[in-house]
Structures are given as structure tokens and as C-alpha cells.
Amino acid sequence: MLKHQSQVPVRPSRVEILGANGFVSRHLQSWCARNEVAFRAVASREIDMTRREKAQELAGLLRPDDAVVMTSDSRESPSKPAPNVALDSAVIRAVLE
């Protein structure tokens, strides 16, 4: 369950965007830049989120006061199988624990 630590809106010190090269991610990065919100975008070539063992590597990038946004492409193509949502959430769960 998502738990907010503040009752009033608070600007995060940094937004950690997972899935840096996608459509949604690029727009979020633009929004952050326009609104002077610090962010870091992590591409799959930097940390392959389809590999569970990469969870610790990702956890090492995060700061305690980061806001984490995970974006994912749900399309399937001949070169890319359909995303494994269960695997994605297992990796994120491992990072957040």
C-alpha cells in the first residue's frame, strides 16, 4: 500500500524516473525540467529491470527522500515480448523494502 509521509503536498528533492526513454517518461522529464524539479531518469540499458538481481543496484541509486515513478511500455513487438508486470512489481517491491 502506498503511504504518504506528509499530509500536505511537498516537492520531492528528486524524482527518480524508471524507464527513461519512453513516451510518458520523456514528457515527465520535460515537465520536471520546466518546473525546476530535480530528476534522474534511469534507462533499461543502465539497469535492466527485467532482471531481479538488479534490484539492489537500483536501490543503491535511490535517496530516502526520492519520489519514484516507474513507466513501462505495454506494447509487444517482434523484437520485444510483452512486459512482465509481475516481474516489474517484484523488482520495485525489492527496492522499496
Side-chain angles (χ1 to χ4, degrees), residues 18-51:
L18 309 181
N21 297 317
F23 176 82
V24 172
S25 177
R26 287 192 311 269
H27 285 274
L28 178 56
Q29 292 172 55
S30 294
W31 183 92
C32 287
R34 283 192 315 275
N35 290 280
E36 299 179 352
V37 174
F39 70 92
R40 183 176 192 286
V42 180
S44 59
R45 69 179 162 268
E46 182 178 355
I47 297 181
D48 183 355
M49 293 299 294
T50 64
R51 297 176 54 202

Side-chain angles (χ1 to χ4, degrees), residues 3-25:
K3 292 183 182 179
H4 293 277
Q5 296 181 358
S6 178
Q7 296 298 323
V8 295
V10 176
R11 179 183 291 244
S13 65
R14 182 176 68 168
V15 176
E16 194 75 30
I17 304 169
L18 309 181
N21 297 317
F23 176 82
V24 172
S25 177

